[in-house]
Amino acid sequence: FGLSTIGLLIGFVLISVIDTPLLENIYAALLVIFGISALRNKELKTSLSPNYAYPVLGGFFSVLIHGGGVFFIRLCRVSGLDRIKTVATVAAIHFSMNIFKVLFFTGTGMVDSKYLYTLIPAYISAILGTRIGRSLLTKYVNEKAFSQGMGVLLLILAVKYVL
């Protein structure tokens, strides 16, 4: 989480000067690479970049396009975490990062603080959804199915960023 905070801070500073459509296209290309890798069931056991880069990029992309999760998933998988630990780790990181993002966006006036109360159901849903997801993964989804499912989801998400 600590390294993702660095990415968050960089994103907070650069939010008004970054070309978001270009960033979304770069992110889409990375989603395609990671998605195809997952579909081929050829999870990279070694990282193409230093492992510390993943959480920094995750925090950075999270601020600018609310899409940094793939970097945390990548870090978990390269680090050898199974599907259950991957989901739990990514959920905990996102939960923590979203608290910082709420503080930043309301503190800078980008989002009116009167909308803060609407986040309570979202945080409760995130906790419940993670618990339910963990149960489903434990009982019904093996590592191969998880990897292939992640690959399909990443490719669908890539299309969203391109269109």
Side-chain angles (χ1 to χ4, degrees):
F1 172 73
L3 289 174
S4 65
T5 305
I6 294 169
L8 285 173
L9 293 174
I10 293 169
F12 292 152
V13 170
L14 298 177
I15 196 164
S16 61
V17 296
I18 292 286
D19 180 23
T20 305
L22 173 64
L23 201 58
E24 288 176 348
N25 288 333
I26 292 168
Y27 190 65
L30 292 170
L31 290 171
V32 169
I33 292 167
F34 294 150
I36 290 172
S37 172
L39 282 175
R40 292 179 57 221
N41 209 20
K42 298 276 185 187
E43 290 289 337
L44 300 174
K45 297 300 179 196
T46 58
S47 177
L48 299 176
S49 65
N51 282 357
Y52 64 80
Y54 288 121
V56 173
L57 288 170
F60 176 74
F61 277 88
S62 178
V63 168
L64 297 171
I65 61 173
H66 197 66
V70 70
F71 296 105
F72 298 110
I73 293 168
R74 203 61 239 131
L75 176 63
C76 290
R77 300 307 275 178
V78 167
S79 299
L81 296 183
D82 67 15
R83 66 197 183 284
I84 296 164
K85 290 179 182 174
T86 295
V87 169
T89 301
V90 172
I93 289 170
H94 273 286
F95 191 85
S96 303
M97 281 193 336
N98 284 336
I99 291 171
F100 280 99
K101 287 167 44 180
V102 165
L103 294 173
F104 172 78
F105 288 119
T106 55
T108 60
M110 292 178 148
V111 174
D112 194 335
S113 60
K114 70 180 180 183
Y115 295 108
L116 285 177
Y117 75 91
T118 63
L119 295 175
I120 294 169
Y123 281 110
I124 292 171
S125 296
I127 293 167
L128 292 175
T130 301
R131 301 287 293 185
I132 292 168
R134 178 180 173 205
S135 175
L136 293 173
L137 283 174
T138 302
K139 295 177 183 174
Y140 303 109
V141 181
N142 63 30
E143 285 294 325
K144 183 177 179 182
F146 176 76
S147 182
Q148 290 175 339
M150 286 302 303
V152 169
L153 290 174
L154 293 175
L155 292 174
I156 292 170
L157 188 58
V159 169
K160 177 241 182 225
Y161 281 107
V162 172
L163 300 179

